[in-house]
Amino acid sequence: MNFLLEALSSTFNPVVLAMLLFGVVVGLLVGALPGIGGVFAMALLLPLVDGFDISAVLGLLIGLTSVTTTSDTMPAVLIGVPGSAAAIATVEDGHPLARQGEGDRALGAAYSASLLGGLIGAFALALAIPVLRPLVLSLRTPDFLAVSVFGLLFVAVVAGRQPLKGLLAALVGLLLSIVGVDPLQGVQRFTFGNSYFWDGLSFTIVFVGLYGLVELADLLRRGRITETRFQSSLPAVLRGVRDTLREWRLVVASSLSGTFLGAVPGIGVTTIDWVAYGIAARDRKGGPEYGKGNIRGVIAPESANNAKEGGNLIPTLAIGLPGSIGMIFVLTVLSEHGIVPGPKMLTEHLPLVYSIVFFIAIANVLGTGICLLMTRQIAGLAAAPVALLVPVALALIVLGAYTTHLRPEDLLLLLLFGALGLLMKANGWSRAAFALGFLLGPNIERYYFLSAQLNGWAFLSRPAVIVVLCIVAGLIVRLALQGRLRPGALVFAPDTAGDRMLLALFAGLGALAFISALGFSGGSDMFPRIVASLLALVALPSILRAFGTPLRVGGGAAAVGAAKLLGFVGLLSGLVFMVGHLVAVPAFIFAASLLLDRTRWRAGLVTAAMSTAVIYLLFDELQHVSWPTPLITLAIPG
Amino acid sequence: MLKETITAMVLLLASNSVAAEFPSKVSIKIGNSMSSGTAAIARVIAEHLSGHLPGNPVVNIEAVEGARGVQLARQMATTEPKDGSVVAMTSMSVLHNFLIDPAGYDFSVADTVWLGAFANTIVYCVTARANPAALTDEGIIIGAANKASDFYRNGMMLKNLINPSAQLVSGFTNEVEIMAALERGEIQAYCGPTRSTYEREKRADIQQIVAGIGDPQALEARGVSDLFKDVDGLDRDVLEFSTFPTKWFYTMGLPAGTSPEIAEVYREALRSLNADVDFIAEFTARVPEYQFRPGDMLSEAIKIHLATDPAVIERARQITQ
């Protein structure tokens, strides 16, 4: 037990605790600001703590990385813009709750779920320490394939009452995930000879467009965040906490899945979130529909994404393989102090390993405590005037997207995915299903080819693969018995102009992709051809059905909100190109706030100035973004 | 000889006049993020480079991420100023991939004014210590990322030069995944880690080096035409199995069209870092194989590709002519 005492003594050293607290505060801040990642903050802070004791530096890093997924919930719930990729799933139900005036309840549930998830992750890490190495090394590539396919099965769950639309959305997600250099041959697929697409479509841009812009358009239409009068109260926050405690089984299941998947290098936090969301959505008893404010849809991903930190540390400490990008910094610190991750961690450095476990636990308690204390103030954001909130959020979104590659295509894609998201939401197409396809597609293709190269067809005999195949077979049999695989059941009646546009767009994409894929070589054509064929096949019967279906008219108000928002994005993008971001941002925020509410011009002026200062600090001073030269300076002679 | 001496003297005189008008601000642009290892190296260079450039300009780092360095390469070939205020630090992969598959490049990477590289490093092949294998083993499985990656190129060199029966498995996303597969015993070797990363990450207790690509002592003595001739004579159980230079780490270049005078000022400044004790101490703490070597990256790339695809050489020759 000496190692535990040693770990406790090193953890509760005042310097170490101060560094841990500092890490937690920074982690909460970067989590709450869309576009600023924890990895960036780590890279920025690490050189500053050179020379500190290893426990203090690890305290800082673990403190920072453990809580970014706690505070990223704030913008996700309140304005529907995820603070980081880890909060995308939380938007699905968290934001509808805020709109119903239950933002503080959603935040209370999210924070407490994050706390419990973090603690379970830390506990799992502590328990797993003696069996870490064999556990991680027992997995094989076909097992990762099985996990990815299993994740994709949740499309059936998140699609809700529109299974066919969900399937189509997932297939489009899969198809768009193929864009870029293929993982096997290095062949460029759907890049149109443009190097912009080599890295594939940016997750940030796709999801900010699909979720962030859509929610802001909705906000513009409604004119306020909450549909009822907003009353922030401690009892409401505590109600959220009670929701979490009542759903303890879901918390445990989501946390364990988060820890397990977090231990597998290559499985990202977004996948972990959606798998947890799928676990929650399997239970349809009671509560509102998923996607419309079901508190379980908040609790599950929040538990899972905090638990994954413990999981990430398992391969990091056991065999020196970083479980996530953030863990690379942990490995760097360890190696700079002469510590070799691997078997020796369990002998020579056991106190340090348990200190790390304590760091995760303390960071989660501190992070949640700070968030809960601030919830009333933070939830007060929901009462902020839309005329100020939307322009500021748009400025952050547009610049965040633009800094992905600093190319015009960034903003064009943001607009396209914003428009796609608006159409999908207005017509009941599951964006969550699209997300699952988009996130899991690359893993499925890559792990399939790796499994086949390494094992031949023998990969099908791995237990995990057999289990997933049995689940798929079981699902098909069940659907067949329910009569849901009859030709007539595999069609829906597209009765809105939006449905028809999406169907035509998706079928067109499928056909185009199939033809383009004919030119791909060496096996890189297989996956795109299968997905494209399926997409065209599934879409075709419903397209034919459209001819006999009367058109339903409506949605004028939503269309106005959408047009206004996309217009704003286009205007701000144009201004950034023309005059540069430091002139474009204040001009846009002031003009947009005036346009939305003429009475608030003073507040608009102050907001514009303050936002520009914050943007300058974030993008220019901290990140040293290399902005392209504004067109206007090119036009000025000399 | 006389012609070369005169050219050098003219360049030296011209570079003196360039020095008088050298920009007061210089940006080192990198093709990776500000949180990458490349950025950390660039910070060390930026800190010391100023003192070796005329007028001691302020030297900043800027990240131009995207398309695996191609975004930066495009800017260097097309839009960046040619007055010496921008210098790029990049990986030679951009040049390799340009030679292998020029589709998607609407500019020529070869036009960049290449200055040289900071790390003339050796790339190693490793196997798992718990499951040792010889690179000559029949059917040995070598892990790699996609076919445009350095890992694949290194593995292909091994397959072409030493063990035609080796199976090259591509599709891993990065070194972490490849290492994991090695630990799990799914692959038996991979070729890619440098001595510095190998040592820094202290992987010696779980991996062992079995071969090195590009022993710098051997490479200087041999010309391109000698490479294949010597392959049969290689001792396949010892480190080096080829003689290819791999001056592709932290490669420096100036925007296309930059004058030879400005290039000379930079080469001189970068060369003089070789004698800067503080700089070397900081640099070698991160990359032990430090030595800045001026060089023509295109000809280095040609040598490397001899082992992978002779057709690429033809294309490279056409570019140089």
Side-chain angles (χ1 to χ4, degrees), chain A residues 350-614:
Chain A
L350 200 54
L352 188 66
V353 173
Y354 277 94
S355 288
I356 291 172
V357 172
F358 293 142
F359 290 153
I360 299 177
I362 296 169
N364 275 287
V365 172
L366 284 174
T368 307
I370 294 170
C371 284
L372 280 174
L373 282 176
M374 301 292 291
T375 295
R376 283 193 68 180
Q377 286 74 17
I378 294 161
L381 247 186
V386 165
L388 300 177
L389 198 61
V390 170
V392 173
L394 267 182
L396 277 171
I397 284 176
V398 167
L399 293 186
Y402 189 39
T403 50
T404 312
H405 300 97
L406 290 168
R407 282 178 61 167
E409 290 94 330
D410 289 330
L411 297 174
L412 199 63
L413 274 185
L414 180 70
L415 269 170
L416 283 176
F417 278 96
L420 179 66
L422 287 161
L423 266 177
M424 287 178 79
K425 189 180 177 191
N427 296 282
W429 292 66
S430 168
R431 288 171 295 166
F434 175 93
L436 276 171
F438 188 73
L439 293 165
L440 293 170
N443 281 353
I444 290 174
E445 183 184 23
R446 215 161 47 77
Y447 289 137
Y448 164 73
F449 278 114
L450 276 173
S451 301
Q453 285 181 89
L454 291 166
N455 309 280
W457 288 109
F459 82 84
L460 291 170
S461 62
R462 289 283 300 176
V465 178
I466 293 171
V467 167
V468 169
L469 285 176
C470 287
I471 293 173
V472 172
L475 265 175
I476 292 172
V477 170
R478 193 175 147 190
L479 289 173
L481 289 175
Q482 289 171 345
R484 288 160 72 181
L485 292 183
R486 282 180 295 108
L490 293 172
V491 183
F492 77 94
D495 58 353
T496 65
D499 269 346
R500 292 179 183 189
M501 276 171 73
L502 285 170
L503 261 178
L505 175 71
F506 292 168
L509 268 178
L512 196 68
F514 187 86
I515 294 165
S516 302
L518 293 174
F520 302 156
S521 57
S524 58
D525 59 332
M526 192 183 105
F527 192 67
R529 281 169 74 174
I530 290 174
V531 176
S533 311
L534 278 174
L535 183 56
L537 277 175
V538 177
L540 196 61
S542 300
I543 290 174
L544 295 176
R545 178 85 169 265
F547 291 106
T549 307
L551 196 62
R552 192 158 50 87
V553 184
V560 170
K564 202 188 280 184
L565 186 98
L566 294 179
F568 276 158
V569 174
L571 173 69
L572 179 55
S573 305
L575 279 173
V576 170
F577 284 125
M578 286 300 295
V579 294
H581 68 294
L582 289 179
V583 177
V585 165
F588 169 77
I589 292 178
F590 182 62
S593 63
L594 267 189
L595 208 67
L596 295 171
D597 185 353
R598 285 177 189 279
T599 62
R600 294 183 185 271
W601 69 271
R602 279 193 194 84
L605 211 57
V606 173
T607 308
M610 284 174 63
S611 307
T612 310
V614 170

Side-chain angles (χ1 to χ4, degrees), chain A residues 236-309:
Chain A
V237 175
L238 293 177
R239 198 177 144 213
V241 177
R242 278 200 299 277
D243 285 330
T244 301
L245 295 176
R246 197 179 60 242
E247 297 289 352
W248 65 271
R249 286 187 189 86
L250 178 65
V251 172
V252 173
S254 307
S255 303
L256 289 179
S257 81
T259 309
F260 173 72
L261 294 177
V264 181
I267 304 280
V269 64
T270 33
T271 306
I272 290 170
D273 277 356
W274 284 112
V275 168
Y277 188 84
I279 291 171
R282 280 174 58 220
D283 185 354
R284 296 185 178 280
K285 286 174 284 183
E289 201 177 314
Y290 284 92
K292 295 192 172 165
N294 192 314
I295 198 75
R296 286 166 55 88
V298 174
I299 292 169
E302 286 305 310
S303 313
N305 62 34
N306 275 53
K308 72 135 189 20
E309 285 306 315

Side-chain angles (χ1 to χ4, degrees), chain B residues 123-142:
Chain B
V123 173
Y124 290 98
C125 291
V126 297
T127 64
R129 194 164 281 283
N131 182 23
L135 293 182
T136 46
D137 284 353
E138 187 72 22
I140 184 176
I141 300 175
I142 302 162

Side-chain angles (χ1 to χ4, degrees), chain B residues 5-19:
Chain B
T5 312
I6 293 170
T7 309
M9 284 178 66
V10 168
L11 271 180
L12 188 67
L13 287 172
S15 63
N16 283 339
S17 72
V18 165

